[in-house]
Amino acid sequence: MTGFWASCLFRIVVLVALLTGAARASEDDARLALVIGNASYGSVSALDNPVNDAQMISQTLQGLGFSVTMAVDLGQTKMKRAIAQFGRDLRAAGSEATGLFYYAGHGVQSFGNNYLLPVDVALADAADLDLMAVEAQTVLRQMASARNRTNLVILDACRNNPFENVPELNESGLAEMKAPTGTFLAYATAPGGVALDGQGENSPFTQAVVEQIVVPGQPIEQAFKEVRRAVLAQSGGQQTPWDTSSLVSDFMFVEAPESPILTVAETEELQLWRSVRSARDPVQLMLFLRGYPDGSFADEARRLLADVMAEELSVGSAAPKETTSAPAAPDATETALFKAAQEDGSLAGYEAYLQSYPTGTYAEIATTEIAALQAGQSTDPVGEGVENDTAVATPEPEAVPRHKEAGPVTFVSPLESDLETISGRSLAELIEQTPLFPPVEGLPESYWKTQTCSSCHQWTQERLCTQANTYLSLNMQRSLSKQHPFGGVMKRSLKSWAAGGCQ
């Protein structure tokens, strides 16, 4: 990528960050930066990328609300003047200001001290290093003198040693410095290591820094952790960026965008989804999708349902059916809470039950009632959102199903229905049958085609009776009107069975 197009790309990225309201600098929260890129050295090896790096990071910082002073190819005098002026500007900005110093170029260490090399450096003896170079500690002293809240130092200066002919300067890279309170120090590579100048137009380290500091809502510590991962991957593990911190306040280059204000309906959907998601119950997930087939969490719900069903099918195929223990009957507290919700008939009542018993005996019914209340439906005999109406489009007659000899409905008595799949079978047989159509639109056949109602609901006769009794309530007409994979006759049969004492 050419420098022109790279510049355009990062301008776009920064513009997006600005449009999200991420960069919010003000006079009381000023951001100041000094950026130096030294490449055209006279007495030591020249470098390819520091000027490009300085330009790229300057453009990015400007977009993030920094007032940037950029200078390239500075000699020692101009370099020291720029650092001194930066210190004065930072002191004038106030205690809430953020200062950032970036340097790309040659850097060396001697006796544990780090030195940044101006382009006019000429060294024959290591003893002259402090006379010819700029000690990195000078920058830290200037920033610390401002007593401001946050200071950041980024050094892409750990390239190869340019003074190979000076015996006393045989240590590679930079030494780790102690950061004054409120300072974050970032190095292109670990102490004593050598950083890559890069094969492209920018160094791998600075490229990664620019990509991460524009990420909204990312703390600086996390940003440079991501920088480290990126450079390690690009260098094949040869270069490990390093950082050290004495920050006492949180800092993000880009603040997280403000959360949108949810409507009442969106809030209710979110609360129900959180309950269903934590329960990981396939029935609740199916019912949630019935209530919100096009909701904000529908795609996530379908993926979770597929995962849960796959887990259950895997467990079911590995364990013999006889080893499955019957679910425990609901305790008195759960039953009382559900009955209170029925008597109240409100959304809040059913949600209160689900919050206390997200996987309880009545969870499916409570979820159905919530979906009906939210959809504003009453007693549509077909039910909302039928996924496949080829088998159940014609409403079942409202008459209570009968034994073929006009006796009461029992658990084992055959039912009468216009549906061939239902007619002549008992409740005991039906719960062991495969549904006529998928309970959730788009659910793969492998998840439901060979399954039974009892395997999904964990039904026993006792548990089924508990659910059937809920249909005796006048407040449960919405549940009776909800479509069932065996048609409306199934729920009305359960109601009749419960009315006869679940015999």
Side-chain angles (χ1 to χ4, degrees), residues 333-410:
T333 303
E334 178 185 357
T335 300
L337 183 58
F338 181 75
K339 286 184 177 180
Q342 282 184 280
E343 293 172 2
D344 182 57
S346 69
L347 185 66
Y350 288 112
E351 286 180 339
Y353 167 79
L354 278 178
Q355 288 174 359
S356 299
Y357 298 96
T359 59
T361 301
Y362 311 105
E364 176 190 356
I365 302 169
T367 307
T368 301
E369 288 296 292
I370 288 173
L373 288 167
Q374 290 173 334
Q377 294 184 349
S378 55
T379 56
D380 175 10
V382 177
E384 92 298 347
V386 178
E387 291 84 351
N388 184 338
D389 58 3
T390 57
V392 293
T394 303
E396 287 290 325
E398 291 301 323
V400 175
R402 300 177 292 108
H403 186 280
K404 63 172 54 179
E405 297 179 357
V409 174
T410 68

Side-chain angles (χ1 to χ4, degrees), residues 103-366:
Y103 174 79
H106 276 306
V108 296
Q109 63 166 303
S110 177
F111 295 101
N113 295 324
N114 293 322
Y115 295 87
L116 312 179
L117 303 187
V119 294
D120 58 359
V121 66
L123 191 68
D125 194 298
D128 296 334
L129 186 59
D130 357 26
L131 303 176
M132 306 296 297
V134 177
E135 188 178 4
Q137 201 69 33
T138 301
V139 178
L140 295 180
R141 282 194 292 269
Q142 287 288 336
M143 299 177 84
S145 70
R147 301 184 183 278
N148 55 315
R149 181 175 58 182
T150 304
N151 286 312
L152 316 172
V153 177
I154 304 173
L155 301 177
D156 196 350
C158 312
R159 294 160 169 89
N160 59 297
N161 181 8
F163 300 118
E164 295 178 351
N165 297 327
V166 179
E168 291 84 357
L169 292 177
N170 56 8
E171 294 183 272
S172 299
L174 298 181
E176 186 171 9
M177 298 184 290
K178 292 184 178 180
T181 302
T183 305
F184 184 92
L185 284 167
Y187 307 85
T189 193
V194 176
L196 304 176
D197 193 35
Q199 300 298 318
E201 295 185 351
N202 297 102
S203 80
F205 173 69
T206 296
Q207 179 76 44
V209 169
V210 168
E211 290 173 356
Q212 291 302 320
I213 64 177
V214 297
V215 175
Q218 184 168 234
I220 187 171
E221 295 84 358
Q222 182 63 36
F224 278 87
K225 184 182 294 183
E226 296 300 326
V227 168
R228 185 154 46 248
R229 290 172 177 166
V231 175
L232 276 167
Q234 185 172 347
S235 66
Q238 298 181 26
Q239 180 177 338
T240 305
W242 205 260
D243 56 70
T244 182
S245 173
S246 64
L247 291 179
V248 292
S249 59
D250 298 331
F251 180 80
M252 298 178 186
F253 285 95
V254 183
E255 296 293 334
E258 295 180 359
S259 301
I261 300 175
L262 300 179
T263 65
V264 174
E266 289 170 336
T267 301
E268 291 174 348
E269 179 185 356
L270 174 61
Q271 291 173 344
L272 180 58
W273 168 240
R274 286 174 175 170
S275 174
V276 171
R277 180 179 58 187
S278 63
R280 292 180 62 85
D281 179 78
V283 175
Q284 292 188 42
L285 286 165
M286 291 174 186
L287 291 170
F288 176 82
L289 285 168
R290 281 182 178 272
Y292 299 98
D294 301 313
S296 302
F297 309 101
D299 290 340
E300 187 178 353
R302 290 187 180 94
R303 288 193 294 269
L304 180 58
L305 176 60
D307 292 342
V308 171
M309 292 296 290
E311 292 171 4
E312 292 204 356
L313 290 173
S314 174
V315 172
S317 61
K321 187 173 181 180
E322 290 73 20
T323 62
T324 303
S325 59
D331 58 32
T333 303
E334 178 185 357
T335 300
L337 183 58
F338 181 75
K339 286 184 177 180
Q342 282 184 280
E343 293 172 2
D344 182 57
S346 69
L347 185 66
Y350 288 112
E351 286 180 339
Y353 167 79
L354 278 178
Q355 288 174 359
S356 299
Y357 298 96
T359 59
T361 301
Y362 311 105
E364 176 190 356
I365 302 169

Side-chain angles (χ1 to χ4, degrees), residues 476-488:
M476 294 309 295
Q477 290 305 311
R478 285 183 296 269
S479 289
L480 285 170
S481 70
K482 292 290 178 179
Q483 192 50 264
H484 188 278
F486 284 125

Side-chain angles (χ1 to χ4, degrees), residues 369-456:
E369 288 296 292
I370 288 173
L373 288 167
Q374 290 173 334
Q377 294 184 349
S378 55
T379 56
D380 175 10
V382 177
E384 92 298 347
V386 178
E387 291 84 351
N388 184 338
D389 58 3
T390 57
V392 293
T394 303
E396 287 290 325
E398 291 301 323
V400 175
R402 300 177 292 108
H403 186 280
K404 63 172 54 179
E405 297 179 357
V409 174
T410 68
F411 191 58
V412 296
S413 64
L415 306 176
E416 289 184 353
S417 172
D418 292 337
L419 297 176
E420 183 179 348
T421 310
I422 305 295
S423 185
R425 287 187 168 86
S426 65
L427 291 172
E429 292 173 319
L430 281 179
I431 65 174
E432 297 298 331
Q433 300 298 309
T434 298
L436 303 181
F437 58 87
V440 177
E441 183 179 3
L443 191 67
E445 287 192 355
S446 60
Y447 294 143
W448 67 272
K449 194 69 173 178
T450 59
Q451 299 304 302
T452 67
C453 288
S454 60
S455 64
C456 184

